[in-house]
Amino acid sequence: MQRYFLNERYVNQNQSFTLTEEDYHHAVRVMRMAVGDDCFLVFQNQCSIKAKITRIEADSVYLEEIEKEQAEKEMPVSVTIACGYPKGDKLEWIAQKGTELGMQALVGFPSKYAVAKWDDKKRVKKSIRLQKICKEAAEQAHRTMQPQVTLLSELDELVQKFKEYQTVLVAYEESAKKGEKSAFVQAITQCVQQEKVLIIFGPEGGFSKGEIDLFYQNGAIICGLGPRILRAETAPIYALSAMSYQWELLG
Amino acid sequence: MQRYFLNERYVNQNQSFTLTEEDYHHAVRVMRMAVGDDCFLVFQNQCSIKAKITRIEADSVYLEEIEKEQAEKEMPVSVTIACGYPKGDKLEWIAQKGTELGMQALVGFPSKYAVAKWDDKKRVKKSIRLQKICKEAAEQAHRTMQPQVTLLSELDELVQKFKEYQTVLVAYEESAKKGEKSAFVQAITQCVQQEKVLIIFGPEGGFSKGEIDLFYQNGAIICGLGPRILRAETAPIYALSAMSYQWELLG
């Protein structure tokens, strides 16, 4: 069933709900929904309901609540994925797959060995596009929130964000090559509910020794992700899948 | 360091090793390697060595062994990924990412709700392309084997293969929606070393009730993969990452 994200908070079941603009267009023109049809509505306070269309006017679809959506769709730990700017459309891809796999936020940052240079103009343009991809993927994956996208202009801004998180991890290929495999497991099995975790991934060229030192000196845990060498865009997907397995399936 | 897969078995360290044809071209023309340079050689019996170039001739690169490669790169359990033929180039993408994440074999099969129809001609063409993608991804990910690709013309052929595996799993969206989350964990935590596991994924349209019944009646375990709805190409990546985490990191 179709899901729509509303830019409002859910207060109580007597509220009336309205789809306008893009969502109106999607419901009426693309999905050809009619009075009596059901869909899910998702609110800014991570609440979601099943709703029925009661009236359709020239630019608004009116709905009323049928019932709350029960199942928990969000990870018990909030995970932010930070990626050194990769080449081409890889960040778009990470945005889509990361959203499906439960990430709460996506951060891009410049990194020494990154081939791609993301100037101000490119960041503004990409930011809009990435946010749209996250919204669509969140609807498709039945999420109750849309991951927020932040594209940084300096590596230092990333390091300054460390204090917002209880755990900061850095996926480092050299750790993987040396067979390091316990740091990631230790960190994620010790996370508690509602904790905020930041996990940082390098661009195609990996991290410089200086960058790793900077992260480490600011409290990050350097970890490997298994014995095979993963591409820049595959490593975040591995980490999110493993976290979901640990927290949501193993529990 | 570059890796080359040789179409021969490793016998002993006194063998001489030769790169020819495509690998010769890649080493000499693309990588511009010279006498004294090192690379990894990977053999059909899943053994890999570090080797040094001793001589380069008009159409052959000659190498000698320096040492065995020590680290275990392969999953302890052999995992075959089977996918209902998806749209566009999604199977190419699954081939690449699945190889990075450790799958041993990839099977494509026709499924009732698949939008894409893969006729004989398309299967032959795709098979060559998919095998090439697996080879390149295996080199990049430092694997010691190349996953084999098999594209089936009938669903029944897939069911007939069940007997080759100790465990057969089917990822089913309806199970995920109902909150089923223990079957996957139970199955993969009970796998033993060297066991062969087959895990089956539907195309974009999912499986029909009849297909699920057929799989179940032939001994497959129907399982969900967490609370969010994953796309056809994301589900195999989730499963492989979770398996790697369980078997290689939690161990």
Side-chain angles (χ1 to χ4, degrees), chain A residues 72-73 93 96-97 100-101 141 143 181 227-229 231 233-234 238 244-246 248-249, chain B residues 72-73 93 96-97 100-101 141 143 181 227-229 231 233-234 238 241 244-246 248-249:
Chain A
E72 182 52 68
K73 304 289 186 182
W93 188 86
Q96 187 191 71
K97 298 296 167 229
E100 279 179 73
L101 293 167
R143 297 280 305 268
K181 61 183 191 177
R228 290 167 296 281
I229 303 304
R231 283 171 205 250
E233 75 276 19
T234 314
Y238 180 98
S244 162
Y245 177 76
Q246 175 65 50
E248 299 184 306
L249 298 192
Chain B
E72 181 53 67
K73 303 291 186 183
W93 187 86
Q96 187 191 70
K97 298 297 168 229
E100 279 179 73
L101 293 167
R143 297 280 305 268
K181 60 183 190 177
R228 289 167 298 280
I229 303 304
R231 283 172 205 250
E233 75 276 19
T234 314
Y238 180 98
S241 301
S244 162
Y245 177 77
Q246 175 65 51
E248 299 182 306
L249 298 192

Side-chain angles (χ1 to χ4, degrees), chain A residues 71 134 196 219 232:
Chain A
C134 287
K196 290 185 74 182

Side-chain angles (χ1 to χ4, degrees), chain A:
Chain A
M1 202 185 311
Q2 189 57 41
R3 296 175 88 80
Y4 295 103
F5 283 88
L6 301 187
N7 289 324
E8 59 187 278
R9 295 173 67 81
Y10 177 85
V11 182
N12 65 59
Q13 61 182 22
N14 300 319
Q15 272 175 281
S16 71
F17 307 105
T18 317
L19 298 179
T20 58
E21 299 178 1
E22 261 190 49
D23 289 338
Y24 169 86
H25 176 82
H26 188 270
V28 177
R29 306 271 175 255
V30 181
M31 302 297 290
R32 297 176 184 275
M33 291 171 80
V35 169
D37 286 350
D38 297 343
C39 64
F40 286 109
L41 300 179
V42 188
F43 301 87
Q44 285 183 329
N45 43 343
Q46 288 194 31
C47 162
S48 58
I49 63 167
K50 196 177 189 180
K52 188 179 287 298
I53 298 179
T54 55
R55 205 165 84 243
I56 298 179
E57 291 188 358
D59 54 3
S60 301
V61 174
Y62 297 92
L63 305 103
E64 66 182 28
E65 177 171 339
I66 301 172
E67 59 186 6
K68 299 271 177 310
E69 192 182 24
Q70 295 301 334
E72 182 52 68
K73 304 289 186 182
E74 298 300 329
M75 286 234 237
V77 176
S78 161
V79 181
T80 297
I81 298 291
C83 298
Y85 289 125
K87 287 194 276 189
D89 59 0
K90 283 185 184 171
L91 204 59
E92 275 90 331
W93 188 86
I94 294 167
Q96 187 191 71
K97 298 296 167 229
T99 300
E100 279 179 73
L101 293 167
M103 75 175 177
Q104 287 270 320
L106 177 63
V107 175
F109 63 90
S111 173
K112 194 175 174 188
Y113 294 157
V115 178
K117 302 293 170 212
W118 290 39
D119 60 19
D120 289 2
K121 197 177 147 193
K122 180 166 178 177
R123 285 203 309 279
V124 170
K125 207 174 142 189
K126 281 274 196 182
S127 178
I128 295 166
R129 182 160 164 69
L130 289 164
Q131 197 59 66
K132 188 160 187 281
I133 289 169
C134 287
K135 177 174 185 282
E136 290 170 358
E139 288 169 355
Q140 184 269 331
H142 294 198
R143 297 280 305 268
T144 57
M145 59 87 68
Q146 305 171 49
Q148 292 303 304
V149 178
T150 312
L151 303 184
L152 306 175
S153 59
E154 299 290 342
L155 182 67
D156 279 347
E157 293 176 72
L158 179 67
V159 176
Q160 281 158 28
K161 281 180 174 286
F162 282 17
K163 58 181 180 294
E164 299 168 22
Y165 297 88
Q166 282 81 52
T167 303
V168 178
L169 298 167
V170 179
Y172 189 41
E173 196 176 70
E174 295 305 319
S175 297
K177 279 184 191 160
K178 284 184 193 129
E180 187 293 304
K181 61 183 191 177
S182 60
F184 180 72
V185 170
Q186 267 190 24
I188 75 167
T189 51
Q190 283 169 10
C191 286
V192 294
Q193 290 228 349
Q194 310 300 326
E195 183 169 328
K196 290 185 74 182
V197 175
L198 171 67
I199 177 162
I200 305 172
F201 299 88
E204 291 83 358
F207 286 121
S208 71
K209 184 74 177 51
E211 287 171 326
I212 290 293
D213 287 348
L214 177 68
F215 295 148
Y216 180 76
Q217 282 155 14
N218 282 276
I221 299 161
I222 316 298
C223 59
L225 295 175
R228 290 167 296 281
I229 303 304
L230 303 177
R231 283 171 205 250
E233 75 276 19
T234 314
I237 304 314
Y238 180 98
L240 282 166
S241 302
M243 286 166 163
S244 162
Y245 177 76
Q246 175 65 50
W247 296 330
E248 299 184 306
L249 298 192
L250 284 180

Side-chain angles (χ1 to χ4, degrees), chain B residues 1 9 27 58 71 84 94 109 129-130 144-145 147 161 163 167 175 182 198 212 215 248:
Chain B
M1 202 187 308
R9 295 173 67 81
I94 294 167
F109 63 90
R129 182 160 164 68
L130 289 164
T144 56
M145 58 88 67
K161 281 180 174 286
K163 58 181 180 294
T167 303
S175 297
S182 59
L198 171 67
I212 291 293
F215 295 147
E248 299 182 306

